[in-house]
Amino acid sequence: MPETEAASQRHFIQQIIDADNASGKWGGRVVTRFPPEPNGFLHIGHAKSIWLNFGLAREFGGHCNLRFDDTNPTKEEQRYVDSIIDDIRWLGFRWPDAGGTERESGVLFASDYFDRMYEWALDLVDKGLAYVDEQSPDEIRANRGSPSTPGTPSPYRDRPAAESRELLEKMKRGEVADGSMVLRAKIDMASPNFNLRDPVMYRVLKAHHHRTGDAWSIYPMYDWAHGLEDSIEGVTHSICTLEFEDHRPLYDWFIESINQGRAEPIHHPQQIEFARLEPSFIITSKRKLLELVEGGHVSGWDDPRMPTVSGLRRRGYTPEAIERFCAGTGVTKYKAVIDLGRLENACREHLNEVAPRRMAVLRPLKVVITNWGEGGVEDRTEMLDAVNNPEDEGAGTRQVPFSRELYIERDDFMEDAPRKFFRLKPGGEVRLRYAYWVTCNEVIKDDAGNITELRCTYDPQTRGGDSPPPDAEGKVRKVKGTLHWVSAAHAIDAEVRLYERLFSAESPDKKPKDAPAAWDFKQNLNPDSLDAVGGAKLEPALGERQDSEPEWPDGIRRYQFERLGYFCVDSGEGESVFNRTVTLKDSWAKAKGKG
């Protein structure tokens, strides 16, 4: 491939780093970071950022820091820290010194830098570039102006630096009430960029911090902390989503102001923005996801319907599928909604390659083979060979028991079947996967008219599902339908949870034009997002792990239930509950007329 063609296939951030390395801008170093706020669980949008930041560091021989922006103690919890670390490890990424048994080995925190940030804030105060403002939050908000009018300077904007320093120190010691004072940067109240209209740097907040306890009574605002954390860690390429593009001038101003008159300037990272991942049919607002959890609309952050990484993991998605999806969506500066079907397809593609096949009957209908005794002992069990994975020859085969009484799917039989119904019907013949051809001769019903049993005969000459030999005229009988089944005597009982998309609207939080004022995004919740099917019958190989199964690194056993979809053992419920990961085909697109 020509060099110019290869370069054109690299996304714009790769090209920036290529140019930086060629010029020696950072001495060949590449240091990125992933900076989550521990106020919720990670979602699929975060997975894109994780893949990008850790992936770039890996590609260029650098490293990516995992650093928590823990600057808001009222919303942050240790359980969120733990879940984020576990999710990133599950996705397959590591950070410096991460590899020991301790969960937080090598993890960085903004709170580790609180002392240094405070000293730099004092420096800006002494330079006359920051001041303590005693206006109320509402007054500060009202005085910021509008896009067409400049903001109104605070009456405290020109107070002496020594007075602001004294007040800031009182704020730090906890000697003033919450909300009574803030520290603001003195920049430009008339700037067209609202982020430069004297932004708040510190607020008084007497709240317990999950790491520093009660040591601090003031906490840095995110915009003050963000660039300084990158600077302290020597980050070379600070990769952010597009909503931070207008914040970049502020981050630059903070570092340039700190470096004014400084004999040894602090490091000034390079910020690069890209378009965040916005899939259809989901919500990525942590505030709204928390609302779903606290309102009982889902079972928790790891509910398999949630777009969280832990929810996707519990549903049976693999790290490889998520990485394929992230890579396939590209890295650009253009905002676009990505069809959620692309994530589902990435999962289908990977599981098709690696998931062993098994048979499961979700809504069982009994089949009795009335002539089973003619081929031998009536209560005998035959063991039949079944392919584990047609995509992987090395996966081999397994033995599946077949006996006189079986279960098939209730939907695979129709008493008054249309002409093109190729499954089982009265007088009709079908192939049972890996087994025999059977013909339905009698339908048994209860007193209410419900079908309870089918009585069939089998053709002993079709063992393995093969066609029978030609008749006297040389003709070979044919069937069009192949059904999955489970031996009744050997079946394992299970609950199977059929998951659909949590929301029925493509943009769940977009308010319709004619919606009333009280409209809420939860009105777009899909009432059919979960169908818990009890009494499912599974082949015995699903009861315990087989030697032919893959060694799943996360311990979650995943399968293709033949003709039904991809499923996994629910990691939160035990071996008797299976979750549907995805259907075999994109049934949602088909239902919506897209397929």
Side-chain angles (χ1 to χ4, degrees):
M1 181 184 297
E3 186 175 339
T4 54
E5 183 179 347
S8 68
Q9 293 182 359
R10 294 172 66 73
H11 61 71
F12 78 99
I13 299 180
Q14 290 172 318
Q15 294 181 37
I16 289 173
I17 298 177
D18 285 338
D20 288 344
N21 287 346
S23 68
K25 181 175 181 179
W26 302 109
R29 294 185 308 116
V30 174
V31 181
T32 61
R33 85 286 180 273
F34 177 63
E37 183 181 356
N39 62 352
F41 280 47
L42 297 180
H43 53 64
I44 186 64
H46 292 118
K48 173 70 171 282
S49 183
I50 291 167
W51 165 79
L52 180 58
N53 280 284
F54 282 92
L56 286 170
R58 177 186 296 173
E59 176 186 351
F60 288 97
H63 67 264
C64 179
N65 294 335
L66 171 57
R67 177 231 303 148
F68 287 91
D69 276 317
D70 54 342
T71 59
N72 189 358
T74 61
K75 295 184 178 180
E76 298 162 355
E77 300 178 26
Q78 183 63 40
R79 69 184 180 116
Y80 295 142
V81 172
D82 295 343
S83 72
I84 290 169
I85 292 173
D86 292 344
D87 285 347
I88 298 174
R89 286 182 178 273
W90 176 76
L91 287 170
F93 297 104
R94 298 295 183 268
W95 46 93
D97 299 323
T101 56
E102 294 185 10
R103 178 183 271 129
E104 294 186 9
S105 173
V107 177
L108 304 172
F109 293 86
S111 53
D112 294 336
Y113 314 137
F114 279 177
D115 286 318
R116 208 175 322 183
M117 291 180 195
Y118 177 72
E119 291 300 320
W120 285 334
L122 287 175
D123 178 56
L124 294 194
V125 170
D126 292 341
K127 291 175 179 175
L129 298 176
Y131 62 97
V132 171
D133 192 350
E134 296 180 58
Q135 292 183 107
S136 70
D138 288 341
E139 289 173 326
I140 292 175
R141 192 177 302 110
N143 289 337
R144 290 190 75 198
S146 70
S148 59
T149 59
T152 302
S154 166
Y156 303 98
R157 193 173 196 265
D158 295 322
R159 72 190 327 161
E163 184 180 334
S164 281
R165 182 186 181 96
E166 181 180 351
L167 290 172
L168 178 57
E169 290 172 342
K170 289 180 64 176
M171 291 166 59
K172 180 178 180 294
R173 292 194 298 266
E175 296 175 4
V176 301
D178 285 9
S180 61
M181 296 181 187
V182 295
L183 180 69
R184 297 178 70 179
K186 187 186 292 187
I187 307 179
D188 183 1
M189 289 300 293
S191 174
N193 186 339
F194 269 61
N195 296 297
L196 299 178
R197 293 189 181 183
D198 289 15
V200 174
M201 298 164 58
Y202 279 93
R203 77 280 204 197
V204 180
L205 186 61
K206 298 172 185 175
H208 185 82
H209 190 280
H210 69 97
R211 294 191 74 247
T212 62
D214 299 317
W216 289 86
S217 294
I218 59 171
Y219 288 93
M221 301 299 290
Y222 179 83
D223 278 346
W224 166 245
H226 176 89
L228 302 185
E229 295 158 8
D230 288 348
S231 173
I232 292 169
E233 295 173 9
V235 171
T236 57
H237 301 84
S238 177
I239 301 169
C240 305
T241 47
L242 281 179
E243 63 263 34
F244 292 99
E245 187 172 27
D246 289 341
H247 296 247
R248 179 165 20 112
L250 175 59
Y251 304 152
D252 291 341
W253 185 92
F254 280 139
I255 292 179
E256 291 165 1
S257 297
I258 291 170
N259 283 336
Q260 283 183 23
R262 198 175 188 86
E264 297 183 6
I266 66 173
H267 174 67
H268 194 152
Q270 174 184 2
Q271 180 169 306
I272 306 168
E273 302 86 15
F274 73 102
R276 66 185 299 170
L277 179 61
E278 295 185 10
S280 60
F281 291 97
I282 68 170
I283 281 176
T284 56
S285 162
K286 284 189 282 186
R287 177 182 60 80
K288 291 180 179 178
L289 293 177
L290 179 61
E291 192 174 333
L292 294 177
V293 173
E294 293 182 338
H297 302 284
V298 292
S299 61
W301 284 96
D302 67 342
D303 187 300
R305 293 167 293 179
M306 290 279 273
T308 56
V309 173
S310 58
L312 292 169
R313 176 168 68 247
R314 186 175 170 190
R315 187 160 172 169
Y317 277 74
T318 62
E320 293 87 348
I322 293 174
E323 182 167 349
R324 289 185 188 189
F325 170 65
C326 291
T329 58
V331 179
T332 71
K333 278 186 169 288
Y334 304 103
K335 292 183 179 180
V337 175
I338 303 299
D339 184 358
L340 184 60
R342 294 177 63 175
L343 173 60
E344 296 165 343
N345 283 333
C347 189
R348 288 187 187 97
E349 290 171 3
H350 184 237
L351 291 179
N352 182 54
E353 297 168 5
V354 297
R357 275 50 168 173
R358 299 290 185 263
M359 290 192 289
V361 175
L362 304 190
R363 295 177 174 87
L365 174 61
K366 181 177 282 189
V367 171
V368 177
I369 301 177
T370 57
N371 66 333
W372 187 240
E374 296 176 8
V377 180
E378 190 172 65
D379 62 353
R380 77 184 187 280
T381 297
E382 292 188 10
M383 301 303 294
L384 305 173
D385 288 332
V387 174
N388 281 323
N389 189 341
E391 302 296 322
D392 179 8
E393 292 183 2
T397 61
R398 68 190 185 282
Q399 295 272 287
V400 181
F402 187 92
S403 58
R404 180 175 181 269
E405 295 186 356
L406 313 167
Y407 292 116
I408 65 170
E409 291 288 351
R410 190 165 290 272
D411 288 347
D412 280 339
F413 175 79
M414 186 175 291
E415 189 171 19
D416 298 314
R419 186 173 62 86
K420 291 190 176 181
F421 184 78
F422 299 123
R423 287 170 276 176
L424 198 57
K425 55 190 174 184
E429 187 175 36
V430 296
R431 176 189 292 106
L432 297 182
R433 182 85 158 140
Y434 307 119
Y436 293 97
W437 293 20
V438 298
T439 301
C440 178
N441 303 304
E442 186 179 0
V443 178
I444 307 300
K445 300 181 181 181
D446 61 18
D447 293 340
N450 299 309
I451 298 173
T452 59
E453 183 179 301
L454 304 178
R455 293 186 179 174
C456 303
T457 54
Y458 86 111
D459 183 345
Q461 294 184 306
T462 59
R463 181 182 167 91
D466 295 336
S467 297
D471 61 15
E473 298 179 357
K475 295 181 180 180
V476 176
R477 197 167 79 252
K478 296 182 180 180
V479 293
K480 290 188 176 181
T482 300
L483 308 184
H484 62 278
W485 53 273
V486 174
S487 168
H490 305 86
I492 295 172
D493 290 329
E495 177 181 313
V496 177
R497 296 175 180 174
L498 305 178
Y499 289 102
E500 292 286 356
R501 295 176 180 180
L502 183 59
F503 291 97
S504 56
E506 187 170 359
S507 300
D509 54 355
K510 184 177 181 180
K511 184 177 180 179
K513 291 181 179 179
D514 56 349
W519 182 88
D520 183 84
F521 78 97
K522 293 187 292 296
Q523 293 180 25
N524 278 326
L525 284 168
N526 178 11
D528 300 319
S529 62
L530 170 60
D531 181 11
V533 180
K537 305 294 183 179
L538 281 54
E539 71 165 88
L542 285 164
E544 58 184 31
R545 188 186 177 280
Q546 306 294 302
D547 291 339
S548 60
E549 291 184 29
E551 290 286 351
W552 302 101
D554 56 11
I556 298 174
R557 297 166 62 205
R558 300 169 175 87
Y559 306 93
Q560 183 195 104
F561 287 0
E562 298 208 32
R563 299 179 65 226
L564 298 177
Y566 294 97
F567 293 76
C568 73
V569 176
D570 189 303
S571 57
E573 297 286 350
E575 297 294 309
S576 63
V577 177
F578 286 78
N579 296 330
R580 183 170 67 190
T581 308
V582 287
T583 54
L584 288 179
K585 296 181 180 179
D586 190 352
S587 57
W588 186 276
K590 184 177 180 181
K592 297 295 182 181
K594 298 180 180 179

